Amino acid sequence: MTAPVIDKAIDRRSFESLGHANHGWLDARHHFSFANYYDPARMGWGAIRVWNDDVIAPNAGFPPHPHADMEIITYVRTGAITHQDSMGNVGRTAAGDVQVMSAGSGVRHAEYNLEAEPTTLFQIWIEPRSRGGQPSWGAKPFPKGERSGKFVTLASGFEEDGDSLRIRADARVLGATLRAGESLTHSVGAGRHAYLVPATGRIEIDGMPFAARDGAALSGGRTVTITAIEDAEIVLVDAA
């Protein structure tokens, strides 16, 4: 019998172990403590504070509510989400595309699924490098074909990542698609924190198996090899 893969620098968080709240119109899984889900061992990972895996029913969504001092990234997996905020922004973000909101000194926003099908998305919150500032919002398409076999930077707080959406955090949000059998690597710098979730498909990270929607908390100071066991779509956040 093959011994289980154990790697203390990779913390596997199975989909089944995540916090869960089903509100009817919203079926949510929480990778970190959020709302009524509390786990002192899962309060965040570095500057990454929230990673929610949401399924939103058709013609439903989040009514206007406030945020401040948080970078909020929405990665739409299927369907689309329509955004409205107190800055006057209105936008529809479809599957494969990304929207970001810097809450800054304070903003109110609403997120609705106005489609005829459920919308599935990851919503990720990252702590900003400083508090306050003028809030902002932006969205951008990221064709999956351009991410084939490699990571593409979707959102970044670093000036050198000029083609990505801007966030005000020492972090990058990366996306990749892999065909079965393909591999790629990612180096997590010393003192940094990476969190990876396959949106679809089974993968291995340094030989450790992960199913779709499992989470992987990766410690800094190492390079990991990610191999697709099935065709896979991957989202990774590398943060302070």
Side-chain angles (χ1 to χ4, degrees):
M1 186 174 68
T2 303
V5 178
I6 298 174
D7 189 333
K8 292 182 179 179
I10 303 176
D11 179 10
R12 177 178 175 271
R13 301 177 179 185
S14 69
F15 179 75
E16 293 75 18
S17 75
L18 304 180
H20 186 210
N22 192 336
H23 304 283
W25 66 273
L26 170 67
D27 190 359
R29 298 276 178 166
H30 308 305
H31 285 262
F32 302 104
S33 296
F34 185 84
N36 292 327
Y37 166 61
Y38 174 73
D39 181 342
R42 295 183 179 181
M43 294 303 296
W45 186 240
I48 306 166
R49 180 60 190 85
V50 168
W51 191 309
N52 289 344
D53 181 330
D54 292 342
V55 182
I56 305 170
N59 299 304
F62 302 90
H65 57 282
H67 288 286
D69 296 316
M70 194 65 68
E71 303 300 296
I72 299 173
I73 300 98
T74 304
Y75 180 98
V76 182
R77 295 171 7 236
T78 62
I81 198 76
T82 297
H83 168 96
Q84 301 175 18
D85 64 41
S86 55
M87 297 175 283
N89 296 305
V90 177
R92 178 181 178 274
T93 304
D97 300 345
V98 180
Q99 70 171 17
V100 300
M101 187 176 74
S102 294
S105 58
V107 66
R108 290 178 63 83
H109 79 137
E111 306 287 340
Y112 293 109
N113 173 17
L114 302 180
E115 315 302 313
E117 61 178 331
T119 288
T120 66
L121 55 82
F122 293 143
Q123 188 173 95
I124 300 161
W125 296 10
I126 304 173
E127 295 174 2
R129 59 170 63 92
S130 61
R131 297 173 65 87
Q134 183 72 21
S136 64
W137 175 85
K140 187 176 178 179
F142 289 94
K144 293 182 183 180
E146 296 178 7
R147 304 182 235 159
S148 180
K150 63 181 181 180
F151 278 119
V152 169
T153 303
L154 309 176
S156 173
F158 300 100
E159 290 296 330
E160 59 265 32
D161 297 325
D163 292 334
S164 63
L165 289 161
R166 312 313 304 156
I167 56 175
R168 303 170 192 170
D170 292 326
R172 289 183 175 94
V173 181
L174 309 173
T177 59
L178 293 177
R179 294 191 179 277
E182 287 186 331
S183 296
L184 79 171
T185 61
H186 180 74
S187 296
V188 188
R192 292 186 65 80
H193 304 78
Y195 200 84
L196 182 155
V197 181
T200 61
R202 292 186 300 119
I203 65 170
E204 289 183 350
I205 304 175
D206 287 353
M208 182 181 292
F210 290 81
R213 301 162 76 186
D214 288 352
L218 310 176
S219 297
R222 64 177 292 163
T223 297
V224 295
T225 299
I226 303 149
T227 302
I229 306 305
E230 304 170 343
D231 290 357
E233 178 182 350
I234 297 164
V235 181
L236 183 150
V237 176
D238 189 310

